[in-house]
Amino acid sequence: ILASELSNLYQYENQWRNLIREIRQEFSEKLILTSNWDKLELPFWNELDAIGVSAYFPLSKNLNPSQTELNEAWLLHKTHLLEISHRYNRPLHITEIGYPSIQTAAQAPWELLPNSVSDFSLQARCFEAFRSAWSSEVNLIKVNFWDTGYPQLPYYSFNFDTIGKPAGDIIKKFFQERIKIL
């Protein structure tokens, strides 16, 4: 990954194109750059090998959204991401996705508030919406789930961890389904 979530710097299209070309002279591996969920339109996607996205899309304005609402939100985001993928003829790489196990996970998945109320169910439902939208999509080449893997920490109920939580089972199911299509 060449760069991640540098939204304010991605406006310098010519400089990015030049940098990517210079790197390709020395580096033969795949180059991916991560755009933030709210700044997906980069005019130099064609210079890279995949569309990289930090996918912390808000899924709902409600504190207790239904599974249908979450699923529909992810389908809209998927449609937009696939349109970009097709426009530039590049596969998709979700370079980062995660949901904290708190009541606002669907509203602001990037934000972990210290005085939050724990909600393992909502975290799992958000991942279920992602799984439902993406598990069979062949244009999605890779997904990186945010998971620190430290369930022994005292704030375990309020963090992004999925290990030992219902969300972990959803992620496991996602990868089991992915194996079948690869």
Side-chain angles (χ1 to χ4, degrees):
I1 295 179
L2 176 63
S4 183
E5 301 175 5
L6 298 176
S7 299
N8 291 333
L9 297 179
Y10 293 155
Q11 64 183 310
Y12 302 107
E13 177 183 352
N14 291 335
Q15 289 88 338
W16 280 103
R17 287 183 187 279
N18 291 335
L19 177 63
I20 293 164
R21 289 178 189 138
E22 286 179 29
I23 291 171
R24 286 204 186 278
Q25 292 176 7
E26 302 293 328
F27 185 75
S28 61
E29 299 298 319
K30 302 284 186 197
L31 289 179
I32 299 169
L33 179 142
T34 299
S35 67
N36 202 33
W37 63 271
D38 60 344
K39 303 275 192 212
L40 296 173
E41 300 295 335
L42 302 182
F44 52 90
W45 280 127
N46 61 323
E47 299 284 346
L48 298 155
D49 297 301
I51 307 294
V53 178
S54 184
Y56 289 95
F57 297 99
L59 302 178
S60 174
K61 293 180 180 181
N62 300 320
L63 270 179
N64 191 21
S66 69
Q67 189 64 56
T68 300
E69 181 181 357
L70 297 171
N71 290 357
E72 288 173 358
W74 251 116
L75 287 174
L76 287 173
H77 298 307
K78 176 184 176 183
T79 298
H80 186 213
L81 290 171
L82 287 175
E83 188 277 323
I84 295 169
S85 171
H86 294 305
R87 184 177 347 136
Y88 290 97
N89 194 29
R90 299 291 186 269
L92 288 166
H93 177 171
I94 304 290
T95 56
E96 189 176 318
I97 182 173
Y99 297 96
S101 50
I102 58 177
Q103 280 186 324
T104 57
Q107 295 172 320
W110 60 88
E111 193 168 57
L112 188 58
L113 303 172
N115 296 322
S116 299
V117 174
S118 180
D119 193 337
F120 289 10
S121 174
L122 179 57
Q123 181 190 40
R125 292 193 331 267
C126 290
F127 277 113
E128 173 58 27
F130 177 82
R131 184 209 61 79
S132 176
W134 289 100
S135 66
S136 64
E137 179 55 55
V138 296
N139 286 318
L140 180 65
I141 58 168
K142 188 172 180 179
V143 178
N144 295 14
F145 290 95
W146 179 256
D147 188 346
T148 58
Y150 296 107
Q152 71 277 13
L153 296 175
Y155 57 87
Y156 172 62
S157 295
F158 308 103
N159 65 16
F160 286 84
D161 285 328
T162 59
I163 296 171
K165 297 178 185 177
D169 294 332
I170 304 297
I171 293 170
K172 180 179 176 183
K173 184 176 178 181
F174 171 82
F175 284 113
Q176 289 170 336
E177 292 170 350
R178 293 293 292 174
I179 288 172
K180 293 175 186 176
I181 68 160
L182 300 178

